[in-house]
Amino acid sequence: MRAPPLLLLLAACAPPPCAAAAPTPPGWDPAPDAPWCPYKVLPEGPEAGGGRLCFRSPARGFRCQAPGCAAHASASRSLRASVLRNRSVLLQWRLAPAEARRVRAFALNCSWRGAYTRFPCERVLLGASCRDYLLPDVHDGVRYRLCLQPLPLRAEPAAAAAPEPAGPAECVEFAAEPAGMREIVVAMTAVGGSICVMLVVICLLVAYITENLMHPAFGRPGLRRQP
């Protein structure tokens, strides 16, 4: 039995099936229902344990805007460090949903470059729900390197607080701009502008005095006495 011509025409004009849309990469803003971030600052040294467990709320609505903030990103653009004028650094990272389900924690390592070698500055173990971390104080003019390592899930829990990382870590480097020198330059520019204005006013005042008060006879004709 042949199909009616109208059905054949509708089948020919029907659009092809749509392909599955690519997943949208997550943004920098945390979700409205994002939980608190548990983290632990580990002490320096070879030992992995120790440290006090702390919690921080996600940084919602943060925007890095010049000149009060300078943003630095990793090679894959998934890790970002926002250096603020108050010498604090907000570190943010994002993961695809499929990758986030395979992560149980994050290991953050901080180091700074000396004249001949690198020195460690901070080691932090963050929970799987964390997407940002705030470094409260960095030194001006020092080259910092922050590396974030996702720690994958494993079958049985281990006693170690900082397990061995698996896979390459995302790293970002930055140097905080010296705030004191910037403020000195701004102050000197303002003082120099004020001095220039004062000099112009003084020059105009001297020209006015010279023209109108020092030589009054040159501006009007003399009167002759009648005999």
Side-chain angles (χ1 to χ4, degrees):
M1 180 179 179
R2 296 182 58 185
L6 180 60
L7 294 180
L8 295 176
L9 181 61
L10 292 176
C13 296
C18 296
T24 303
W28 295 109
D29 286 337
D33 56 346
W36 285 58
C37 167
Y39 69 95
K40 181 183 291 187
V41 180
L42 303 177
E44 297 182 2
E47 67 275 5
R52 185 178 61 179
L53 181 63
C54 303
F55 294 87
R56 57 173 276 109
S57 60
R60 293 186 174 90
F62 174 78
R63 295 291 183 274
C64 185
Q65 297 180 351
C69 177
H72 306 267
S74 61
S76 64
R77 318 297 296 183
S78 61
L79 180 66
R80 184 174 68 175
S82 300
V83 184
L84 306 176
R85 293 189 62 180
N86 59 357
R87 298 191 304 175
S88 62
V89 179
L90 180 63
L91 190 68
Q92 296 173 292
W93 59 93
R94 52 187 179 183
L95 298 175
E99 185 181 0
R101 287 191 293 266
R102 299 193 300 265
V103 172
R104 62 182 175 86
F106 297 95
L108 175 63
N109 292 301
C110 171
S111 62
W112 59 277
R113 183 183 301 172
Y116 302 101
T117 184
R118 303 194 69 90
F119 297 92
C121 51
E122 194 164 337
R123 294 188 307 136
V124 186
L125 187 66
L126 302 110
S129 62
C130 300
R131 292 298 180 270
D132 55 62
Y133 181 73
L134 182 67
L135 274 73
D137 190 15
V138 295
H139 299 285
D140 297 336
V142 177
R143 190 72 180 177
Y144 284 88
R145 179 182 177 90
L146 299 177
C147 293
L148 185 73
Q149 173 66 56
L151 304 178
L153 293 171
R154 54 189 177 186
E156 63 276 359
E164 292 295 328
E170 288 288 331
C171 298
V172 60
E173 293 190 5
F174 63 89
E177 182 182 354
M181 183 60 66
R182 181 177 58 248
E183 293 175 357
I184 291 175
V185 171
V186 172
M188 291 180 62
T189 304
V191 172
S194 301
I195 293 176
C196 291
V197 172
M198 291 177 60
L199 290 177
V200 171
V201 172
I202 291 175
C203 292
L204 292 176
L205 184 60
V206 170
Y208 176 81
I209 294 175
T210 304
E211 188 70 22
N212 295 276
L213 300 181
M214 299 296 293
H215 306 284
F218 296 155
R220 63 186 66 178
L223 297 178
R224 293 184 179 179
R225 286 186 178 181
Q226 297 294 334

